Amino acid sequence: MKNVLRALKRCAVIGAVALAAVSIQPAGASASAPAPADPQPVVGGTRAAQGEFPFMVRLSMGCGGALYAKDIVLTAAHCVSGSGNNTSITATGGVVDLQSASAVKVKSTKVLQAPGYNGSGKDWALIKLAKPINQPTLKIATNTSYNSGTFTVAGWGANREGGAQQRYLLKAQVPFVSDASCKSSYSDLIPGEEICAGYAQGGTDTCQGDSGGPMFRKDNAGAWIQVGIVSWGNGCARPNYPGVYTEVSTFASAIAQAAAGL
């Protein structure tokens, strides 16, 4: 039987809450109670500098994402409602301040949700943009070589459980958590499709509103590489409940094939 925690994804509902209130929380937190109605940011994070993570994208449905290509955003499957033509999503890029006059806003044209996605695992999706966002892209891991060490997470989600979405991009660092350890917290973890990160004592994690955003680290050449996609967790930054992320390397070939067909 699936753990009910999977029902609590880390996306946020945008509407009643103004984007000016958007914030970010560190990865690792999810909720055992119903998700708050307002979006949330990375918990335990600090403000990112302009241009520090130029591949970061904010999506109008209350999720994050990263530029896989200048005209394609990689995000979470649970952030979208299926595949096909879709012009309802607005991607905001090029800024850390969502209210900046320099923000680049581009509408979507198509969405591809991971084939076979049913709410458990396979939590990735691609959004095709009407025109490119002229910012550096974030390469994705194609093997498990980088599934270790300390990762960076960033987003405009809540900065505390139950908090509001943030206006400014927040960032935080979280350590890798082994599958064995993560399974002790989440019995329905899917090793090979999901990867965990966070501190045993809690305090730093992603949160509602960070869903779909990247978890990344430096590769051997010193360049950023995406290892995970913010997916789910129990609350935000709770002790012994790390954040759960889609393991990007598992789906790298499928993502590349899907992107080529968009």
Side-chain angles (χ1 to χ4, degrees):
M1 186 166 132
K2 292 180 183 175
N3 189 316
V4 294
L5 292 176
R6 282 191 179 275
L8 183 60
K9 300 292 187 178
R10 293 194 171 170
C11 53
V13 177
I14 298 289
V17 179
L19 280 179
V22 179
S23 72
I24 264 187
Q25 302 188 7
S30 47
S32 52
D38 56 343
Q40 308 178 25
V42 168
V43 176
T46 58
R47 191 179 294 186
Q50 177 62 34
E52 187 173 5
F53 309 120
F55 44 77
M56 291 293 303
V57 171
R58 182 67 178 170
L59 300 172
S60 56
M61 79 286 276
C63 283
L67 290 174
Y68 176 82
K70 291 183 182 295
D71 61 348
I72 297 176
V73 176
L74 176 61
T75 187
H78 74 264
C79 287
V80 300
S81 57
S83 300
N85 294 333
N86 186 325
T87 59
S88 69
I89 301 168
T90 299
T92 300
V95 294
V96 295
D97 177 2
L98 294 177
Q99 293 187 7
S100 171
S102 301
V104 177
K105 297 180 182 291
V106 182
K107 285 287 190 180
S108 60
T109 59
K110 295 179 181 179
V111 172
L112 190 147
Q113 190 179 59
Y117 174 72
N118 64 1
S120 180
K122 300 180 177 65
D123 196 8
W124 64 269
L126 296 174
I127 298 173
K128 178 77 169 180
L129 303 179
K131 63 180 182 179
I133 293 178
N134 190 25
Q135 294 290 334
T137 59
L138 178 60
K139 67 179 179 179
I140 65 173
T142 56
N143 57 59
T144 61
S145 298
Y146 299 108
N147 288 9
S148 62
T150 300
F151 306 112
T152 297
V153 290
W156 289 268
N159 59 0
R160 61 181 175 83
E161 189 171 329
Q165 299 261 324
Q166 301 298 296
R167 169 178 172 175
Y168 297 97
L169 182 68
L170 297 185
K171 63 178 181 177
Q173 290 190 318
V174 286
F176 169 75
V177 174
S178 69
D179 288 345
S181 178
C182 198
K183 286 277 281 186
S184 67
S185 299
Y186 303 116
S187 60
D188 61 342
L189 180 77
I190 306 175
E193 291 192 12
E194 296 173 329
I195 180 173
C196 302
Y199 295 94
Q201 70 271 27
T204 303
D205 189 16
T206 46
C207 202
Q208 277 70 50
D210 291 327
S211 278
M215 179 173 76
F216 47 100
R217 53 161 288 177
K218 293 291 183 70
D219 66 11
N220 292 334
W224 292 119
I225 187 167
Q226 184 171 357
V227 174
I229 299 170
V230 180
S231 185
W232 62 283
N234 181 15
C236 298
R238 295 183 184 183
N240 301 313
Y241 283 105
V244 182
Y245 301 79
T246 303
E247 190 170 312
V248 170
S249 61
T250 299
F251 304 103
S253 61
I255 291 170
Q257 183 176 6
L262 278 180

